[in-house]
Amino acid sequence: MKQGRTLVELGNELQRQRNARKDFIADTRTIEMKSNDQGTLMRLLIDDTPHVFTISDIAHQQVASRLQIPYRYYQKMQSDYPRLLDENVNSWFAKNGERRMVRVLDNQVRAFLSDRYRRLDNLELCAAVLPVIHEMRSVEIVSCDVTERHLYLKVINKKLKAEISLGDVVQAGFVISNSEVGLGSLKVEPLIYRLICKNGLIMKDFSQKRYHVGKQVAGDNDAAYEIYSDATLEQDDKAFFMKVQDTVRCAVDETNFQMGVDRMRQAMNVPIHANPVKAVEELADRFQITQNERGDVLRQLFMGNDNSRYGLINAVTAASKLACSYERATDLERIGGALLASSIPTCLLKNKRTETYNENVPPIQKELAHA
């Protein structure tokens, strides 16, 4: 499992972000996009004073999606003809005026969202769930981080464990994740943590979710204005996070954990394709794994010397440690869980009707050498 920040570092960063963030409600007819040599900027008129911000890639994607501009074309305009991008966006902003929530951090627009978006932010989430985690016996946060997309807390329960095979012990756990920029719900997902290699596998089919959907922000002002938490919202959030606390208390479910363990044991008896290189290629095409990640998975499969579906799953979760970011590492842990939960593609099975399987064939090393 890829390591991110310590809890102290995470707390410091969340507090810094809380102090630096700003949220606005703005009518799109008062928003202007303007490009220059430094890039694309967004201008908001707040209290008769213009404020100019840079725009994150996430916010660019959300603007394109809201205006129904294909994102590849949006990027082409941004790189090759920025004036055309400005004209497109500003024209549609003016023609289809609506109120949007603009979330800003460090003088950059980080999200362009509905004015019904419910701000369930990371600092408040941690303040609600960390005391509950600390109250739970034999529970430990093994990894945590905050990226521009999500907050992650990965937790294991040392008491709830099982043996997949002799000496191969796994422990139950869960992952809490949240996005402040509209990229998914607040989620609590079961985690299986393999002690022999310290890799995690996320089973999203048993996840519990809380959505960022709330009431429309009050106000009929045409100009942009900053929004704050009021007493009513604070009470609503308190009730919401109490429900999240209850979800966390029940997150380590012994039945779901045992189902995952049973699937792992079954996966040990499912051989993958006789050519492991082809098996990894099929996996990569199915789950959109990059070329570099394919190489990492193949090397981990080679090192594990386990030419079974279980070996392939472990190769994916082991490769997550080598991922380019914490965000992508978590994606690979979810891919491992999806592979465990999904039906077995026939292309990954040895076809005994068309292939002769020699019991004396050397292990996976020879297969890789001839691939």
Side-chain angles (χ1 to χ4, degrees), residues 94-108:
K95 180 176 177 59
N96 300 324
E98 60 174 344
R99 298 199 323 161
R100 301 292 289 176
M101 182 181 293
V102 180
R103 306 209 74 181
V104 174
L105 178 66
D106 299 330
N107 210 41
Q108 181 180 67

Side-chain angles (χ1 to χ4, degrees), residues 215-235:
K215 300 176 182 178
Q216 190 176 48
V217 178
D220 55 4
N221 195 338
D222 290 338
Y225 60 94
E226 188 170 355
I227 53 175
Y228 307 90
S229 294
D230 60 28
T232 302
L233 285 175
E234 288 175 359
Q235 289 300 315

Side-chain angles (χ1 to χ4, degrees), residues 2 145 147 320-332:
K2 196 176 187 72
D145 206 351
T147 72
S320 71
K321 293 179 181 177
L322 308 172
C324 60
S325 68
Y326 195 95
E327 191 82 44
R328 186 56 184 165
T330 305
D331 290 340
L332 289 170

Side-chain angles (χ1 to χ4, degrees), residues 86-284:
D86 297 344
E87 184 177 344
N88 266 267
V89 170
N90 293 332
S91 296
W92 288 116
F93 274 171
K95 180 176 177 59
N96 300 324
E98 60 174 344
R99 298 199 323 161
R100 301 292 289 176
M101 182 181 293
V102 180
R103 306 209 74 181
V104 174
L105 178 66
D106 299 330
N107 210 41
Q108 181 180 67
V109 176
R110 58 172 176 156
F112 183 79
L113 304 166
S114 165
D115 64 346
R116 295 180 63 89
Y117 181 81
R118 185 174 188 175
R119 296 173 295 161
L120 302 171
D121 289 340
N122 296 330
L123 189 64
E124 289 79 0
L125 173 62
C126 286
V129 302
L130 286 178
V132 175
I133 292 172
H134 291 315
E135 289 171 5
M136 300 169 73
R137 295 181 179 179
S138 303
V139 163
E140 177 187 353
I141 298 174
V142 291
S143 181
C144 60
D145 206 351
V146 59
T147 72
E148 65 174 359
R149 293 171 173 264
H150 293 94
L151 164 78
Y152 295 102
L153 297 172
K154 299 180 181 180
V155 186
I156 60 168
N157 185 330
K158 295 182 178 181
K159 279 194 172 181
L160 188 53
K161 57 187 177 181
E163 209 170 37
I164 306 300
S165 61
L166 185 62
D168 188 358
V169 179
V170 295
Q171 294 174 330
F174 57 93
V175 180
I176 301 172
S177 61
N178 184 50
S179 175
E180 292 188 340
V181 293
L183 299 180
S185 58
L186 191 162
K187 290 187 287 190
V188 181
E189 302 167 282
L191 171 75
I192 295 181
Y193 187 70
R194 190 174 181 229
L195 293 182
I196 197 171
C197 55
K198 296 185 178 179
N199 294 330
L201 178 149
I202 300 173
M203 299 189 298
K204 62 181 181 179
D205 49 344
F206 298 125
S207 65
Q208 299 187 57
K209 303 178 182 180
R210 302 285 181 182
Y211 293 96
H212 291 254
V213 179
K215 300 176 182 178
Q216 190 176 48
V217 178
D220 55 4
N221 195 338
D222 290 338
Y225 60 94
E226 188 170 355
I227 53 175
Y228 307 90
S229 294
D230 60 28
T232 302
L233 285 175
E234 288 175 359
Q235 289 300 315
D236 288 345
D237 289 348
K238 182 178 180 180
F240 178 90
F241 282 119
M242 287 178 66
K243 294 178 182 178
V244 174
Q245 289 174 328
D246 290 339
T247 301
V248 170
R249 288 187 181 98
C250 303
V252 180
D253 184 279
E254 189 169 356
T255 301
N256 291 342
F257 174 62
Q258 192 57 52
M259 288 178 63
V261 168
D262 291 342
R263 287 176 180 176
M264 287 179 162
R265 289 170 179 160
Q266 293 168 6
M268 294 180 69
N269 300 316
V270 179
I272 59 175
H273 197 283
N275 184 343
V277 176
K278 184 175 180 181
V280 173
E281 288 176 351
E282 297 285 355
L283 173 79

